[in-house]
Amino acid sequence: CVDNEDQTDNTVDPVSGGSSSSNAFTYPKVGDSITSFLNPNLFQDPETIHNIKQQLRAGKPVMIHNAFQPEYAEAMYQDLSSAEGAFELHEYAHEQDDFSCYHYNIYDLQKYTPLMNATLELFNSTATKEFASELSGRRCGGQTWPAASWYKPGSHSLPHSDWADQRTVAYVWHLTKGWKHGWGGHLYWMSETS
């Protein structure tokens, strides 16, 4: 889990970090690696990389505060905010699988903005997948499937598995500004037997 929130819950935070002093943001280009957009104060530190690898390879969640360069996070935040009209309500409740959700998503890639598409290309690049494989110790060569979500007051997702189509790694990039602990919205990691 990566985030660029102002305030966060530190319950599952094996790694913390500072801010970047990078210059103005430029869009990712085809073939770029995610490493070019990560916070260098974190990802150039061998101890941080070691901690992330250790947690992921043990099957544990990793929350990385301020993981991306602030300029990139801000650009994505503004881009998603400007696309609010493209988010559609996704509501699901089914007793048989004991799951329900109520939140807003953009699943139609045709509604993605240029920056959202560039970011998808970044996450789908061979270089990014090699980086994810190196960190996690898992094969990450498959397709990256995005789901831009907007959780508004009252939105929720009950516990569920993100395992689908033999997915080996899942990520969440939180872009909430001024988040307050009392609002909820926490990401909880549960064992398969919970």
Side-chain angles (χ1 to χ4, degrees), residues 127-144:
T128 295
K129 291 176 183 181
E130 288 172 354
F131 177 68
S133 292
E134 171 61 25
L135 288 177
S136 67
R138 297 168 184 248
R139 291 180 34 220
C140 297
Q143 182 70 25
T144 300

Side-chain angles (χ1 to χ4, degrees):
C1 176
V2 296
D3 73 62
N4 282 82
E5 299 174 352
D6 291 340
Q7 298 176 2
T8 55
D9 175 13
N10 292 319
T11 56
V12 288
D13 183 15
V15 182
S16 63
S19 62
S20 167
S21 59
S22 299
N23 294 329
F25 168 74
T26 57
Y27 274 42
K29 295 182 293 305
V30 172
D32 279 352
S33 171
I34 197 171
T35 58
S36 299
F37 296 89
L38 296 173
N39 182 339
N41 294 335
L42 294 170
F43 289 92
Q44 291 176 2
D45 175 38
E47 184 178 346
T48 297
I49 297 297
H50 173 76
N51 289 340
I52 292 170
K53 279 184 181 180
Q54 190 175 33
Q55 294 294 311
L56 287 175
R57 290 173 182 223
K60 296 180 180 177
V62 176
M63 182 179 290
I64 307 168
H65 298 275
N66 301 310
F68 287 93
Q69 295 172 5
E71 297 82 9
Y72 187 25
E74 180 62 28
M76 183 57 73
Y77 177 86
Q78 294 300 329
D79 195 59
L80 290 169
S81 295
S82 71
E84 183 175 5
F87 285 85
E88 297 176 2
L89 177 62
H90 179 74
E91 185 174 16
Y92 176 85
H94 199 278
E95 288 182 23
Q96 190 171 9
D97 59 11
D98 205 24
F99 174 72
S100 74
C101 67
Y102 182 93
H103 48 76
Y104 299 81
N105 299 89
I106 304 175
Y107 289 123
D108 182 355
L109 299 183
Q110 298 297 317
K111 294 182 178 181
Y112 270 35
T113 66
L115 179 55
M116 291 169 70
N117 280 311
T119 300
L120 175 56
E121 289 293 328
L122 179 70
F123 279 74
N124 255 326
S125 76
T126 300
T128 295
K129 291 176 183 181
E130 288 172 354
F131 177 68
S133 292
E134 171 61 25
L135 288 177
S136 67
R138 297 168 184 248
R139 291 180 34 220
C140 297
Q143 182 70 25
T144 300
W145 297 106
S149 301
W150 191 316
Y151 283 74
K152 299 179 181 187
S155 293
H156 68 276
S157 286
L158 291 183
H160 62 280
S161 170
D162 275 351
W163 188 91
D165 299 323
Q166 300 182 350
R167 181 182 298 156
T168 58
V169 174
Y171 65 90
V172 178
W173 184 8
H174 291 274
L175 288 166
T176 303
K177 288 188 175 189
W179 179 80
K180 294 181 178 23
H181 185 77
W183 292 351
H186 303 81
L187 175 67
Y188 289 99
W189 185 263
M190 300 173 66
S191 69
E192 291 182 16
T193 58
S194 295

